[in-house]
Structure formats: C-alpha cells, structure tokens
Amino acid sequence: MELVGKLFSLLLIIIFSLPVFSNENALLKDAKKAFSRKAYSEAIKKFSKYSDLHPSDGEAYMYLGYIYEYKKDYPNSVQNFRKAAELNLERDHKKTVLLKLALFFNYHQDWNLAATYAARYLKYDSKNEEMQKIYNRATSNRGNPTSNTTYIQPPKTVETKHAVEKQEIKKPVASLEKDAEDLKPSSEYEKELKLTPNDENLRWEYSLALIEEKKYDLAEENIKQLIEKNPNRTRYHYKMGIVKLRKDDPKAAIESFEKARKNPFSKDPNVFLYYVHLNEGIAYQKLKQFEMAESSFKEAHKQLAKDTPLLALARLNHDQSKWSQCAENAERAISLAGQIESHMFRFICLAEDNKSGPKVESSFEKYYGYLESNFPVPLKSPEKYQVGFLRLARYLTTLGKEAAAEKYFSVLESDSSINQTREYLFYRGKNLFYLGKTDLAISLLQKVSNSSASHYLLARCYAKKSDLPNVKLNLKAAGNLKEEYWEMAKKESDFAIYEKDITFKEFLANKGEVGPNQ
C-alpha cells in the first residue's frame, strides 16, 4: 500500500493544479469554473453537454471522473476516467488518468485491467518504479477469479484516431488466456467460424468469449471439440475445469484440472499451476472436502507466493470455525497485499477468538471504512463482503453505533442460514433494545431459549412497557440460569420505576421466591 500512497500524493498535486486556459471553449471554461467552486451539479451538466458536442475530447470525461470521485460514486468515476483514457487528452492529463485507473484496478485486484492501464502509463514514463511494481504484480496475477470490480462495465468508446492507436499497442506479456478486452462478441466469432470451422485458434477465442458472456453450455460444447482434436493441449483442460466449476459441477472440474496438471503450460508453468491448484481448491471446498481444499490452496501458494491462496485458506478456516488459523492466514495475506477481504477475515476471526487490540481495531476500521465509503447501502455490496456483516454489526453495537449496526443486521434478516441463529436473534434483539424499538426487540429475544442474557434483556424490555409480571418472569429465568443477575437487577436503572414497590424488592431479595407481601 506504500506505493499506492506515493502515487496518490502525486495525484493530489496534479488534480488541484488543473489549468483553465483563456482561449478554450466557453462552455468548457464555464464547466471548469463550476468545478472550481465545487458546484458539482452545475459542472456535471456543463461537462456532459460539452462532451456531447465534442465526442473525441476526453477532458470533460476526465473532470466528470474527478467529480464523481469526490461524490464517492466510484463506478461512475471509473467509467468516466476510462472514457477519457480512450479519447484525446493532453499528455499530462492522459498520464494522470492512466495512473488513477491503474491504481484503482490494482487496489480492487482486477489484474487484467490493472496490467492494461499500468502498461499504457509506462509508455509515457517507463522509469516509474512504483508503476512497474503494479504492472509486474498484475501480470503475474492475471486470471484471478476473485476480482472485486465486476460491477464496473467497460465504457463504450468513440472510434477516433487515438482509439485506433490504442488498439495497436501490443500487450506486453501473454496471460493464460486472451484478455476480456481483446475478445470480440461471440456472435462475431460465430460468423467467422461458418467460413473457417476448422480454425482452432478462432474456436478457442470463441470459447473464451462464450465464457466471458456466461454462456457456459456452449463454451463447454466448443472446448470439448477442441479437446477431441488436441487432447494434449493443457489450456483446454484448464478452461473446461473453469466451465465445470461455474456450472456448479466441482467433481467434473477437478477431473479437468487433474488433466491440466499432467502437462503444465510451457511458457510459465508456475503461473499455470498456481491457477490450476487455486481453482482446484475451490472445487474441493464446494464438495466440502476441506483437507483436499487446504492442500490445493497451499500448493498454489508454493507455486506463487501471492495473497490469494492465503485468503482462500482464511475463508476455508472461517467456514470450519478455525478462528486462530483463519486469523493467521488473513494476517499473512495482509502482509502481502492488504486486501479488504483479508482485513475482514482477520477482524472476524480475531473477534470470534475473543481477541482484542490494535489488529482487531485496525482491520475493523479498514473493513468498515471501505464499506461505508463504497457501499453506503450495504445490501448493494458484493456478497463476499457480507460474510462479516453479523460480526461487524455486533461490534458496532458495542461501540454504541446502534443505527449503523442496524444497517448491517437488516441485510441478514432475509438470509435463512442466519436469521434464526441464536447469535443473530440475540444480538439484533439487543441492538433493537438500545435503539428503543422495544416490541421488535422482544419478538427476537423471545426466540432465544435457555439464555440468561436474553431473559435479562427481556425483563428490561418489559420494564419499559411497565409490564411487571413479565419483568418478574424473565428476571427469575435469568437468575435461575446465572445468579449474578439478581445483584445486577438491584442496580439496573430500567427497574428504578419499581423502587417503591415492596413486592418487587422482596422478589429481588428472595431471588424470585414468594415473600410475605407477594
């Protein structure tokens, strides 16, 4: 993250020194003035109008990217920066846009796009060591199935001279497969295959396009044809495994991955085996063969010392409630890359292991801060981040942030695997109690059987409703399970309304037994 910090500092200098030229288009000049005043709604309208009138000029899109970034609308920000990158821009502006895109996709681990924009930036500044690090990391990780940026669609570009020049730039390093950006729609390949049905490379690219479009049945059919013609072609078996995995047939996927491992990809066998073992681990995990999954993830890490297999191990440990091992693997993953998901698992697993301290607090802040900045509506967050919502909500309750906690609890209320668990029912009931939503709290807490803490909270709820019989009923249940609640009840402010009630005092003194005044 240090290199991201260095480059981000450079970005801030560039952003706040954007020039306004006296001889430029009046509409563009007015738009920039609105931008300088932070009148963003006005600026958006004017930059949008300018871009409609000047479709080959990328400057308006660049400013729109900044505006949406300030507004924390990151998908729209990236969309506009990507548009700007494909159009006419001054050299310094083009470098800045490419820098921002490379940083963004590196952070979110969309390796194909991170490599693409880093390579383009290096065309302008080939000696930039920090960007070279991003490029090296991205190219070695291409094909990673855990990309965090699937919600961002590639922009539609205008065919300009600059765009044509862009197409002529060669990809610096070949990945295991053709990059998604280089693929044509599958319909175009279909037309070409009618003319040259025996063109193996064409059918391969067609198969990749089908996978990209999630047309897995057709992809499987075409890869099968390729395997029949060339059964020793390793990448065909690898991709067949990917297709089977996405069709939720992990057993068949493993069979394909085993065939792929027999003759590793010759250009870079470590990279190839890394992905084979990584996806094989996912397949074993789907089959609940946890030992085999663990072995595959560890083998992937041996091939390339990346954070992704460690994150996969942390996820596997979490699913098995192996909290200390989960935290350890998340810690190792953080030391390599510091993904938000790694921080999420470190936070969850340390908290579940009843640990506290700087590591818990640091990972909580990174995980929670990321969600609040990027997904203020938690329901819209990627599913992988929702794994930690229950523990996050519980932690927010302890910090006195009940309203924030309720946002995350509410996402889980429709999840049948969680919404009837004791943990969810008790902690959300507790949170609702502190929010003053007594009736809702009661409806959940009543479902938690044989829990002293739940009965005690119910007693406090009924006290707020001045329902003394139910206060006594639940206090007695709590005290019978854990005697310390009798002493707590004597000091509880919620029961102060009964301080002049002799029968209640006798009830507490006798620990629920009938006294002379009852």
Side-chain angles (χ1 to χ4, degrees):
M1 295 304 293
E2 183 181 353
L3 67 93
V4 173
K6 292 178 182 177
L7 293 173
F8 186 71
S9 299
L10 172 62
L11 279 174
L12 291 178
I13 296 170
I14 296 170
I15 291 169
F16 289 106
S17 60
L18 291 171
V20 177
F21 297 101
S22 59
N23 62 343
E24 68 187 358
N25 178 281
L27 177 59
L28 183 60
K29 189 173 182 179
D30 286 345
K32 288 183 180 180
K33 287 180 179 178
F35 173 82
S36 298
R37 298 196 310 271
K38 296 186 178 180
Y40 294 141
S41 295
E42 178 188 346
I44 287 172
K45 291 178 182 178
K46 290 182 176 179
F47 281 126
S48 298
K49 185 175 180 181
Y50 177 85
S51 64
D52 289 340
L53 297 171
H54 302 82
S56 64
D57 191 345
E59 191 170 7
Y61 288 113
M62 177 186 71
Y63 276 95
L64 286 168
Y66 288 129
I67 291 170
Y68 285 116
E69 184 178 26
Y70 295 151
K71 291 165 74 69
K72 296 185 178 180
D73 184 347
Y74 300 113
N76 266 324
S77 173
V78 172
Q79 285 276 32
N80 280 282
F81 282 131
R82 291 187 72 184
K83 288 177 182 177
E86 309 311 321
L87 302 174
N88 294 326
L89 271 179
E90 292 179 10
R91 180 184 175 87
D92 287 344
H93 287 172
K94 179 61 69 73
K95 282 178 63 179
T96 303
V97 167
L98 293 173
L99 174 59
K100 290 183 75 66
L101 289 168
L103 286 172
F104 178 87
F105 289 114
N106 173 71
Y107 180 77
H108 287 282
Q109 301 203 337
D110 189 324
W111 305 122
N112 288 335
L113 291 175
T116 296
Y117 289 112
R120 290 178 62 184
Y121 181 89
L122 290 168
K123 293 280 185 181
Y124 291 89
D125 185 3
S126 61
K127 296 181 180 180
N128 189 307
E129 293 181 2
E130 306 301 340
M131 186 56 71
Q132 189 65 52
K133 289 179 184 177
I134 289 177
Y135 171 74
N136 292 341
R137 180 185 183 213
T139 52
S140 67
N141 277 289
R142 275 177 165 165
N144 183 344
T146 59
S147 167
N148 295 340
T149 53
T150 54
Y151 61 93
I152 297 174
Q153 301 298 321
K156 294 180 180 178
T157 58
V158 178
E159 288 297 330
T160 63
K161 179 181 177 182
H162 183 83
V164 173
E165 289 172 355
K166 177 248 179 188
Q167 293 170 4
E168 292 172 354
I169 298 174
K170 294 181 180 179
K171 297 286 180 184
V173 176
S175 73
L176 296 184
E177 62 216 38
K178 199 173 181 71
D179 290 344
E181 281 199 330
D182 296 333
L183 292 170
K184 295 178 286 189
S186 63
S187 56
E188 291 190 27
Y189 288 111
E190 286 167 3
K191 293 175 185 177
E192 294 177 35
L193 280 168
K194 285 180 180 179
L195 300 174
T196 55
N198 296 320
D199 188 327
E200 189 174 340
N201 286 331
L202 188 62
R203 188 167 298 279
W204 171 240
E205 289 188 15
Y206 174 49
S207 301
L208 296 179
L210 289 169
I211 294 171
E212 186 68 22
E213 295 168 14
K214 299 182 180 180
K215 297 175 180 178
Y216 300 128
D217 289 336
L218 266 177
E220 181 180 355
E221 181 183 318
N222 280 273
I223 295 172
K224 188 175 180 181
Q225 290 182 43
L226 291 168
I227 290 172
E228 287 172 355
K229 288 185 178 180
N230 195 341
N232 294 321
R233 198 71 182 269
T234 312
R235 64 181 183 179
Y236 296 163
H237 292 291
Y238 170 74
K239 266 302 172 184
M240 180 62 87
I242 296 297
V243 169
K244 292 291 188 181
L245 196 55
R246 293 186 182 177
K247 289 182 68 177
D248 202 23
D249 187 355
K251 187 175 180 180
I254 290 168
E255 290 175 3
S256 291
F257 292 139
E258 286 175 349
K259 292 175 183 176
R261 279 194 279 111
K262 290 178 181 177
N263 183 26
F265 192 63
S266 59
K267 288 186 180 179
D268 198 337
N270 292 106
V271 172
F272 181 78
L273 288 172
Y274 167 81
Y275 287 115
V276 171
H277 286 296
L278 192 60
N279 285 288
E280 193 174 52
I282 294 169
Y284 278 122
Q285 188 169 359
K286 283 178 173 286
L287 291 170
K288 300 191 183 302
Q289 295 183 25
F290 299 128
E291 289 185 8
M292 294 297 292
E294 183 176 356
S295 176
S296 293
F297 292 140
K298 287 181 177 178
E299 191 60 41
H301 191 256
K302 284 182 184 178
Q303 299 298 326
L304 288 176
K306 301 296 180 184
D307 66 312
T308 305
L310 296 172
L311 179 53
L313 283 167
R315 191 182 299 110
L316 183 67
N317 298 146
H318 171 269
D319 291 348
Q320 297 175 282
S321 300
K322 294 181 177 179
W323 308 126
S324 60
Q325 289 172 256
C326 171
E328 181 184 340
N329 282 308
E331 178 87 23
R332 292 169 64 199
I334 288 169
S335 70
L336 291 175
Q339 285 194 60
I340 295 301
E341 197 175 358
S342 300
H343 279 289
M344 177 188 75
F345 280 115
R346 185 171 76 167
F347 161 67
I348 295 171
C349 295
L350 285 174
E352 290 288 354
D353 208 22
N354 295 315
K355 304 294 184 185
S356 59
K359 290 181 180 180
V360 176
E361 293 167 9
S362 172
S363 285
F364 159 73
E365 288 170 4
K366 289 184 183 298
Y367 173 44
Y368 178 54
Y370 175 80
L371 290 172
E372 289 293 294
S373 296
N374 294 278
F375 306 103
V377 179
L379 188 61
K380 295 183 179 180
S381 66
E383 190 174 332
K384 64 182 178 180
Y385 294 129
Q386 296 182 22
V387 172
F389 277 11
L390 184 53
R391 175 50 74 169
L392 175 63
R394 287 179 56 181
Y395 197 80
L396 287 167
T397 301
T398 64
L399 296 178
K401 296 181 178 181
E402 291 87 4
E406 185 58 21
K407 283 200 312 181
Y408 295 95
F409 276 125
S410 64
V411 174
L412 303 173
E413 66 187 4
S414 59
D415 187 338
S416 58
S417 67
I418 293 176
N419 62 18
Q420 294 303 311
T421 62
R422 290 171 64 84
E423 183 181 8
Y424 170 84
L425 293 169
F426 174 76
Y427 286 102
R428 191 177 188 192
K430 180 180 179 180
N431 194 67
L432 289 167
F433 170 79
Y434 286 117
L435 283 172
K437 298 181 179 181
T438 308
D439 289 332
L440 288 173
I442 289 172
S443 69
L444 295 181
L445 292 169
Q446 283 178 332
K447 296 178 182 179
V448 186
S449 61
N450 203 36
S451 166
S452 57
S454 183
H455 281 298
Y456 189 75
L457 265 178
L458 279 167
R460 294 176 66 188
C461 286
Y462 283 116
K464 291 182 181 295
K465 294 169 69 68
S466 300
D467 185 345
L468 184 56
N470 271 314
V471 170
K472 289 181 177 181
L473 180 69
N474 282 283
L475 265 181
K476 186 172 182 178
N480 287 343
L481 290 168
K482 191 175 286 188
E483 195 161 310
E484 66 191 55
Y485 280 109
W486 292 117
E487 290 302 315
M488 288 174 61
K490 293 176 183 178
K491 303 172 185 176
E492 181 59 63
S493 60
D494 287 328
F495 303 142
I497 59 172
Y498 303 119
E499 63 184 357
K500 295 181 180 179
D501 189 319
I502 296 174
T503 62
F504 186 70
K505 286 185 176 180
E506 286 185 354
F507 174 80
L508 293 180
N510 296 326
K511 298 181 180 180
E513 298 300 324
V514 178
N517 294 306
Q518 296 185 61

